[in-house]
Amino acid sequence: MINLISVINKIKYQNLTLSVAESCTGGKIASSIVSHEGVSEFFLGGVVSYSVDSKIRILNIGKEKIEKCGAVSSEIAKEMSIGVKNKFESDISVAVTGNVGSKSGDGKSAVGKVFIAINFNDKIDTWEFNFNSDRKTNIESAVSNVFSLLNNIL
């Protein structure tokens, strides 16, 4: 992944730290990062908050907010990015929540709908994607987009 190598170099050059909160990607972002040497200099860690309960207990997202917005929403991606940034005290945090398929896990969100949030420089940007492939490809697309978005922001 060319974007990932670029992201790693930019984070190291700017002397920043990174944390991730993953739901639908199940740790694939963190795994992709740690497959490269030297990332312990900046990668503080990640949380796989796959269940609603883990979003509440680990990332301190209000149950009412999840009930109101749905676990697959830009609002919850934003809250996840805040929760993981606070937990690890990182400069940058990334959060991903979505429904990668093959059926709707929450009964509300469309299959392929994914939200990515990046929290950096006191600003949180969120993006919505609608992937139209199988589960594995949708996860890969989400991960690839995280690194592209990070690369563009940095």
Short mmCIF file of all heavy atoms in Angstrom, two decimals, residues 105-141:
data_model
loop_
_atom_site.label_atom_id
_atom_site.label_comp_id
_atom_site.label_asym_id
_atom_site.label_seq_id
_atom_site.Cartn_x
_atom_site.Cartn_y
_atom_site.Cartn_z
N GLY A 105 -26.32 -5.79 9.82
CA GLY A 105 -26.19 -6.27 11.19
C GLY A 105 -27.11 -5.56 12.16
O GLY A 105 -27.58 -6.14 13.12
N ASP A 106 -27.37 -4.28 11.91
CA ASP A 106 -28.22 -3.52 12.83
C ASP A 106 -29.65 -3.39 12.30
O ASP A 106 -30.51 -2.83 12.97
CB ASP A 106 -27.63 -2.14 13.10
CG ASP A 106 -27.54 -1.25 11.87
OD1 ASP A 106 -27.98 -1.67 10.77
OD2 ASP A 106 -27.02 -0.13 11.99
N GLY A 107 -29.91 -3.90 11.12
CA GLY A 107 -31.24 -3.82 10.54
C GLY A 107 -31.62 -2.44 10.07
O GLY A 107 -32.73 -2.22 9.59
N LYS A 108 -30.70 -1.47 10.19
CA LYS A 108 -30.99 -0.09 9.81
C LYS A 108 -30.13 0.38 8.65
O LYS A 108 -30.62 1.05 7.75
CB LYS A 108 -30.75 0.86 11.00
CG LYS A 108 -31.61 0.59 12.20
CD LYS A 108 -31.22 1.49 13.35
CE LYS A 108 -31.97 1.15 14.62
NZ LYS A 108 -31.49 1.92 15.76
N SER A 109 -28.86 0.05 8.69
CA SER A 109 -27.93 0.58 7.69
C SER A 109 -27.85 -0.33 6.47
O SER A 109 -27.98 -1.54 6.56
CB SER A 109 -26.53 0.74 8.30
OG SER A 109 -26.07 -0.49 8.80
N ALA A 110 -27.63 0.30 5.34
CA ALA A 110 -27.51 -0.43 4.09
C ALA A 110 -26.19 -1.20 4.05
O ALA A 110 -25.18 -0.74 4.58
CB ALA A 110 -27.57 0.54 2.91
N VAL A 111 -26.21 -2.34 3.42
CA VAL A 111 -24.99 -3.11 3.24
C VAL A 111 -24.02 -2.29 2.39
O VAL A 111 -24.40 -1.72 1.37
CB VAL A 111 -25.29 -4.47 2.57
CG1 VAL A 111 -24.00 -5.19 2.22
CG2 VAL A 111 -26.15 -5.33 3.48
N GLY A 112 -22.78 -2.20 2.85
CA GLY A 112 -21.76 -1.43 2.13
C GLY A 112 -21.57 -0.02 2.64
O GLY A 112 -20.63 0.66 2.24
N LYS A 113 -22.42 0.44 3.55
CA LYS A 113 -22.30 1.80 4.10
C LYS A 113 -21.23 1.81 5.18
O LYS A 113 -21.27 1.03 6.13
CB LYS A 113 -23.62 2.29 4.66
CG LYS A 113 -23.54 3.74 5.14
CD LYS A 113 -24.90 4.30 5.51
CE LYS A 113 -25.82 4.48 4.35
NZ LYS A 113 -25.44 5.46 3.35
N VAL A 114 -20.25 2.70 5.02
CA VAL A 114 -19.13 2.82 5.95
C VAL A 114 -18.86 4.29 6.22
O VAL A 114 -18.90 5.12 5.29
CB VAL A 114 -17.86 2.15 5.37
CG1 VAL A 114 -16.65 2.42 6.25
CG2 VAL A 114 -18.07 0.64 5.20
N PHE A 115 -18.59 4.61 7.48
CA PHE A 115 -18.23 5.97 7.87
C PHE A 115 -16.82 5.96 8.44
O PHE A 115 -16.48 5.10 9.26
CB PHE A 115 -19.21 6.52 8.92
CG PHE A 115 -20.59 6.74 8.38
CD1 PHE A 115 -21.54 5.72 8.44
CD2 PHE A 115 -20.94 7.94 7.80
CE1 PHE A 115 -22.81 5.91 7.94
CE2 PHE A 115 -22.22 8.14 7.29
CZ PHE A 115 -23.15 7.12 7.35
N ILE A 116 -16.03 6.92 8.01
CA ILE A 116 -14.66 7.09 8.49
C ILE A 116 -14.56 8.48 9.10
O ILE A 116 -15.02 9.46 8.50
CB ILE A 116 -13.64 6.94 7.34
CG1 ILE A 116 -13.70 5.53 6.75
CG2 ILE A 116 -12.22 7.28 7.81
CD1 ILE A 116 -12.87 5.35 5.48
N ALA A 117 -13.94 8.55 10.28
CA ALA A 117 -13.70 9.84 10.93
C ALA A 117 -12.21 9.96 11.24
O ALA A 117 -11.59 9.00 11.67
CB ALA A 117 -14.50 9.96 12.23
N ILE A 118 -11.67 11.13 10.97
CA ILE A 118 -10.28 11.43 11.31
C ILE A 118 -10.27 12.67 12.18
O ILE A 118 -10.82 13.71 11.82
CB ILE A 118 -9.39 11.62 10.06
CG1 ILE A 118 -9.36 10.32 9.26
CG2 ILE A 118 -7.97 12.05 10.46
CD1 ILE A 118 -8.57 10.39 7.97
N ASN A 119 -9.65 12.53 13.35
CA ASN A 119 -9.60 13.57 14.36
C ASN A 119 -8.16 14.07 14.44
O ASN A 119 -7.27 13.35 14.88
CB ASN A 119 -10.05 12.94 15.69
CG ASN A 119 -10.25 13.94 16.80
OD1 ASN A 119 -9.68 15.02 16.78
ND2 ASN A 119 -11.03 13.56 17.79
N PHE A 120 -7.93 15.31 13.99
CA PHE A 120 -6.58 15.86 13.92
C PHE A 120 -6.64 17.38 13.98
O PHE A 120 -7.49 18.00 13.35
CB PHE A 120 -5.91 15.39 12.61
CG PHE A 120 -4.50 15.88 12.40
CD1 PHE A 120 -3.54 15.77 13.38
CD2 PHE A 120 -4.14 16.44 11.19
CE1 PHE A 120 -2.24 16.21 13.18
CE2 PHE A 120 -2.84 16.88 10.96
CZ PHE A 120 -1.89 16.77 11.96
N ASN A 121 -5.74 17.98 14.73
CA ASN A 121 -5.66 19.44 14.84
C ASN A 121 -6.98 20.08 15.27
O ASN A 121 -7.44 21.06 14.68
CB ASN A 121 -5.19 20.07 13.52
CG ASN A 121 -3.70 19.92 13.30
OD1 ASN A 121 -2.94 19.70 14.24
ND2 ASN A 121 -3.29 20.02 12.05
N ASP A 122 -7.59 19.51 16.30
CA ASP A 122 -8.84 20.04 16.85
C ASP A 122 -9.97 20.09 15.82
O ASP A 122 -10.87 20.93 15.91
CB ASP A 122 -8.63 21.42 17.47
CG ASP A 122 -7.63 21.39 18.60
OD1 ASP A 122 -7.67 20.43 19.40
OD2 ASP A 122 -6.80 22.31 18.68
N LYS A 123 -9.91 19.20 14.84
CA LYS A 123 -10.95 19.14 13.81
C LYS A 123 -11.25 17.68 13.51
O LYS A 123 -10.33 16.86 13.43
CB LYS A 123 -10.46 19.84 12.54
CG LYS A 123 -11.46 19.88 11.42
CD LYS A 123 -10.89 20.59 10.22
CE LYS A 123 -11.88 20.53 9.08
NZ LYS A 123 -11.26 20.73 7.78
N ILE A 124 -12.53 17.37 13.39
CA ILE A 124 -12.93 16.00 13.04
C ILE A 124 -13.64 16.04 11.70
O ILE A 124 -14.68 16.70 11.55
CB ILE A 124 -13.85 15.38 14.10
CG1 ILE A 124 -13.18 15.41 15.48
CG2 ILE A 124 -14.20 13.93 13.71
CD1 ILE A 124 -14.09 15.02 16.62
N ASP A 125 -13.07 15.34 10.74
CA ASP A 125 -13.70 15.20 9.42
C ASP A 125 -14.29 13.81 9.32
O ASP A 125 -13.70 12.84 9.80
CB ASP A 125 -12.66 15.38 8.31
CG ASP A 125 -12.15 16.81 8.23
OD1 ASP A 125 -12.97 17.73 8.13
OD2 ASP A 125 -10.91 17.00 8.27
N THR A 126 -15.47 13.71 8.72
CA THR A 126 -16.10 12.41 8.50
C THR A 126 -16.46 12.25 7.03
O THR A 126 -16.77 13.24 6.35
CB THR A 126 -17.37 12.23 9.37
OG1 THR A 126 -18.31 13.25 9.03
CG2 THR A 126 -17.06 12.27 10.85
N TRP A 127 -16.40 11.02 6.59
CA TRP A 127 -16.74 10.67 5.21
C TRP A 127 -17.67 9.48 5.21
O TRP A 127 -17.55 8.59 6.05
CB TRP A 127 -15.48 10.30 4.42
CG TRP A 127 -14.51 11.41 4.24
CD1 TRP A 127 -14.42 12.27 3.18
CD2 TRP A 127 -13.47 11.80 5.14
NE1 TRP A 127 -13.39 13.16 3.38
CE2 TRP A 127 -12.79 12.89 4.57
CE3 TRP A 127 -13.03 11.32 6.39
CZ2 TRP A 127 -11.71 13.51 5.18
CZ3 TRP A 127 -11.97 11.94 7.01
CH2 TRP A 127 -11.32 13.02 6.41
N GLU A 128 -18.57 9.45 4.24
CA GLU A 128 -19.49 8.33 4.06
C GLU A 128 -19.15 7.64 2.75
O GLU A 128 -18.94 8.29 1.72
CB GLU A 128 -20.93 8.84 4.02
CG GLU A 128 -21.94 7.75 3.77
CD GLU A 128 -23.37 8.27 3.73
OE1 GLU A 128 -23.63 9.38 4.26
OE2 GLU A 128 -24.22 7.57 3.17
N PHE A 129 -19.10 6.32 2.81
CA PHE A 129 -18.84 5.51 1.61
C PHE A 129 -19.95 4.49 1.46
O PHE A 129 -20.53 4.03 2.44
CB PHE A 129 -17.49 4.78 1.73
CG PHE A 129 -16.32 5.70 1.77
CD1 PHE A 129 -15.84 6.18 2.97
CD2 PHE A 129 -15.70 6.10 0.60
CE1 PHE A 129 -14.76 7.05 3.02
CE2 PHE A 129 -14.62 6.98 0.63
CZ PHE A 129 -14.14 7.44 1.85
N ASN A 130 -20.23 4.13 0.23
CA ASN A 130 -21.18 3.07 -0.09
C ASN A 130 -20.48 2.09 -1.01
O ASN A 130 -20.40 2.31 -2.22
CB ASN A 130 -22.43 3.66 -0.74
CG ASN A 130 -23.21 4.52 0.23
OD1 ASN A 130 -23.81 4.02 1.17
ND2 ASN A 130 -23.18 5.83 0.03
N PHE A 131 -19.96 1.03 -0.41
CA PHE A 131 -19.25 0.01 -1.18
C PHE A 131 -20.23 -1.05 -1.67
O PHE A 131 -21.20 -1.37 -0.97
CB PHE A 131 -18.16 -0.63 -0.32
CG PHE A 131 -17.15 0.37 0.20
CD1 PHE A 131 -16.95 0.53 1.56
CD2 PHE A 131 -16.40 1.16 -0.67
CE1 PHE A 131 -16.02 1.44 2.05
CE2 PHE A 131 -15.48 2.08 -0.20
CZ PHE A 131 -15.29 2.22 1.17
N ASN A 132 -19.98 -1.57 -2.85
CA ASN A 132 -20.93 -2.50 -3.47
C ASN A 132 -20.32 -3.85 -3.79
O ASN A 132 -20.60 -4.42 -4.84
CB ASN A 132 -21.47 -1.89 -4.78
CG ASN A 132 -22.28 -0.64 -4.53
OD1 ASN A 132 -23.00 -0.56 -3.55
ND2 ASN A 132 -22.13 0.34 -5.39
N SER A 133 -19.51 -4.35 -2.91
CA SER A 133 -18.86 -5.62 -3.21
C SER A 133 -19.12 -6.62 -2.09
O SER A 133 -20.01 -6.42 -1.26
CB SER A 133 -17.35 -5.37 -3.39
OG SER A 133 -16.75 -6.47 -4.03
N ASP A 134 -18.34 -7.68 -2.06
CA ASP A 134 -18.48 -8.67 -1.00
C ASP A 134 -17.83 -8.14 0.28
O ASP A 134 -17.12 -7.14 0.27
CB ASP A 134 -17.83 -10.00 -1.44
CG ASP A 134 -16.36 -9.84 -1.73
OD1 ASP A 134 -16.02 -9.48 -2.88
OD2 ASP A 134 -15.54 -10.05 -0.81
N ARG A 135 -18.07 -8.83 1.36
CA ARG A 135 -17.61 -8.41 2.69
C ARG A 135 -16.11 -8.14 2.72
O ARG A 135 -15.66 -7.09 3.18
CB ARG A 135 -17.99 -9.49 3.70
CG ARG A 135 -17.61 -9.19 5.11
CD ARG A 135 -18.07 -10.32 6.05
NE ARG A 135 -17.80 -9.99 7.42
CZ ARG A 135 -18.57 -9.22 8.18
NH1 ARG A 135 -19.67 -8.70 7.69
NH2 ARG A 135 -18.24 -8.96 9.43
N LYS A 136 -15.32 -9.09 2.23
CA LYS A 136 -13.86 -8.96 2.27
C LYS A 136 -13.38 -7.74 1.47
O LYS A 136 -12.56 -6.96 1.94
CB LYS A 136 -13.21 -10.23 1.71
CG LYS A 136 -11.71 -10.23 1.78
CD LYS A 136 -11.12 -11.54 1.29
CE LYS A 136 -9.63 -11.49 1.42
NZ LYS A 136 -8.93 -11.95 0.28
N THR A 137 -13.93 -7.55 0.30
CA THR A 137 -13.55 -6.42 -0.55
C THR A 137 -14.00 -5.10 0.07
O THR A 137 -13.28 -4.10 0.01
CB THR A 137 -14.10 -6.59 -1.97
OG1 THR A 137 -13.67 -7.85 -2.49
CG2 THR A 137 -13.64 -5.48 -2.90
N ASN A 138 -15.18 -5.08 0.67
CA ASN A 138 -15.66 -3.86 1.34
C ASN A 138 -14.74 -3.46 2.49
O ASN A 138 -14.45 -2.28 2.68
CB ASN A 138 -17.09 -4.04 1.84
CG ASN A 138 -18.11 -4.05 0.71
OD1 ASN A 138 -17.83 -3.64 -0.41
ND2 ASN A 138 -19.30 -4.55 1.01
N ILE A 139 -14.27 -4.45 3.25
CA ILE A 139 -13.33 -4.17 4.35
C ILE A 139 -12.03 -3.61 3.77
O ILE A 139 -11.50 -2.60 4.26
CB ILE A 139 -13.08 -5.43 5.20
CG1 ILE A 139 -14.34 -5.79 5.99
CG2 ILE A 139 -11.89 -5.22 6.15
CD1 ILE A 139 -14.29 -7.16 6.66
N GLU A 140 -11.51 -4.25 2.74
CA GLU A 140 -10.28 -3.78 2.11
C GLU A 140 -10.44 -2.36 1.57
O GLU A 140 -9.52 -1.54 1.68
CB GLU A 140 -9.84 -4.74 1.00
CG GLU A 140 -9.34 -6.07 1.53
CD GLU A 140 -9.15 -7.12 0.45
OE1 GLU A 140 -9.43 -6.84 -0.74
OE2 GLU A 140 -8.73 -8.24 0.80
N SER A 141 -11.60 -2.07 1.00
CA SER A 141 -11.87 -0.73 0.48
C SER A 141 -11.89 0.30 1.61
O SER A 141 -11.36 1.41 1.47
CB SER A 141 -13.20 -0.70 -0.26
OG SER A 141 -13.14 -1.51 -1.41
#
